[in-house]
Amino acid sequence: MIATKVIAKIAQDNSGVTTDISVILTDEGVLESVTDYVLSLHLNGTSLSTINKYIQSIILLVEFMDANNGMFDNPEEMFSVFVRRLYSGTVGENGLDPSGLYWIPATTGTVARHISHLTNFTSWVSDKGLGKPLNTLRTATRHEERIQYAAWFRRNQNDFLGHIKDKSINATVKRARSIKGRTPLAKTEDDAIAFPTSKFEDFYLNGLGGAKDPRVALRDKLILLLAHGAGFRRSEALLLWVTDVFEAPYDPDRAIVRIYNEVEGVAPEGWRTRRGIKTRKAYLQEKYARSPRQEMQSTQHLGWKSKVVDHKDGYLEAYFFPQEFARVFMSLWRQYLIYRASVECHHPYAFISFDSRYLGNPYTYNAFNQSYAAGLRRIGLEPNKAEGLDPHGHRHNYGRRLTDARVDPLIRKKCLHHKSLDSQLVYTLPSSSKVSQALSQASQQLQLGSDTAKTAASFDWKSLAEHGFDDIDPNSNFTGKKPRLGKR
């Protein structure tokens, strides 16, 4: 391995403030062009997960160029072979790989992502004027120079992962693809596989509730209620602060739960700096010398996916469904706070570790996943995302319940904190189990020889066409004003 990703603290001025970012370290040192590019992505608000994917793509190119040094005279051929090896892998039929890369074949979608990332990166390097030519590809050059050559080649010769411009014809009229990704398989919307409702009570009471440490049981049950009862993502639930659960004014036994964006959200209790800044990011820095978890690179990192908030103060509010979950949450919360208050914590996060090694530290994403899996095993189940036995399956269960209860789509959008109505289509499509059930019923009717039997109304062609399937019947055999096959 000649290139690897490491976390570095970057100081850009004399202020004493550093930025934690991912950089690429090779046997020749840090690739400075990549570091500058990552800093630009970070400044533009690109998520850490996306930045890490860019890093991965660049590492692949650096390693391929190093493993094949001296193999190619033609740069276009080199880049073409690079893309082919992403698809095919580098291990021969005999199980050997003289290049030492040992890549396994990537999916079409993954290769397309690598192509996009490398195109964007080399465009940036080229626009900054950092690209430079080399005399020959066979010359042993530094990794940084190879990166700069890739950018130079893209600008001055051919777009090695995109379009080659025909100089004799206007670029807007004719563009020929030189190296391109394969066309991926057409994909349908995900099934939104939900946690099985029939297993929720057992999992709540005996799974997570079966933990030996009552503090752990209370903590994990509260997180489960936020996911199953209010549709929050894991990372959102773990961002809850102790200051952000309130008694409902109309019923003190009901909880009002608000989860704030830690960068833009307003600090609690009217706090502000001497200069009037009142964001949670400033609050964390001044009170606890901490960064927001969505900006951290360590295991403390928590993502923030929601693009909308429920209030100008920057928070997502929990809409429990059924609303009795709000009572259950408040009851457990009051008990949990007693345990939370007995542990010294230098942070505002509600959910903490009770492991003696990390006592009082903010609860991490990975630690919750392990505790969740242990809870499933207590009731004889194994984690299985394909069956909904996964923390995110509870959000899907919440969305399915709202849909099955015929809650208005605009209300569902609000409850799920979706930016677009299209985001909830995943919950309106028939699940695989419902499709199987409908076909089983149809098979029984066919065996009985019924001429009048019909499948469930939810599977009629009109409904399907209204939910993104208007292209499956172009000849109007089932849909349209005069369907030829829709009636008998």
Side-chain angles (χ1 to χ4, degrees), residues 430-481:
S431 65
S432 298
S433 60
K434 287 187 177 181
V435 171
S436 179
Q437 182 181 5
L439 292 178
S440 296
Q441 293 174 353
S443 297
Q444 293 174 2
Q445 293 165 355
L446 185 65
Q447 291 174 354
L448 293 174
S450 173
D451 292 330
T452 60
K454 297 181 179 180
T455 57
S458 60
F459 293 95
D460 63 89
W461 283 92
K462 182 179 179 181
S463 296
L464 287 174
E466 289 175 350
H467 291 86
F469 291 93
D470 50 325
D471 60 339
I472 63 176
D473 186 25
N475 297 320
S476 299
N477 291 321
F478 289 91
T479 60
K481 294 182 179 180

Side-chain angles (χ1 to χ4, degrees), residues 5 17 25 138 145 161 164 170 190 217 346 365 374 410 477 483:
K5 182 191 77 171
V17 177
L25 181 65
R138 294 184 181 274
E145 291 175 337
L161 294 175
I164 289 181
N170 188 291
D190 289 340
H346 191 65
Y365 192 90
L410 288 175
N477 291 321

Side-chain angles (χ1 to χ4, degrees), residues 24-31:
I24 295 179
L25 181 65
T26 72
D27 52 355
E28 298 171 353
V30 173
L31 292 181

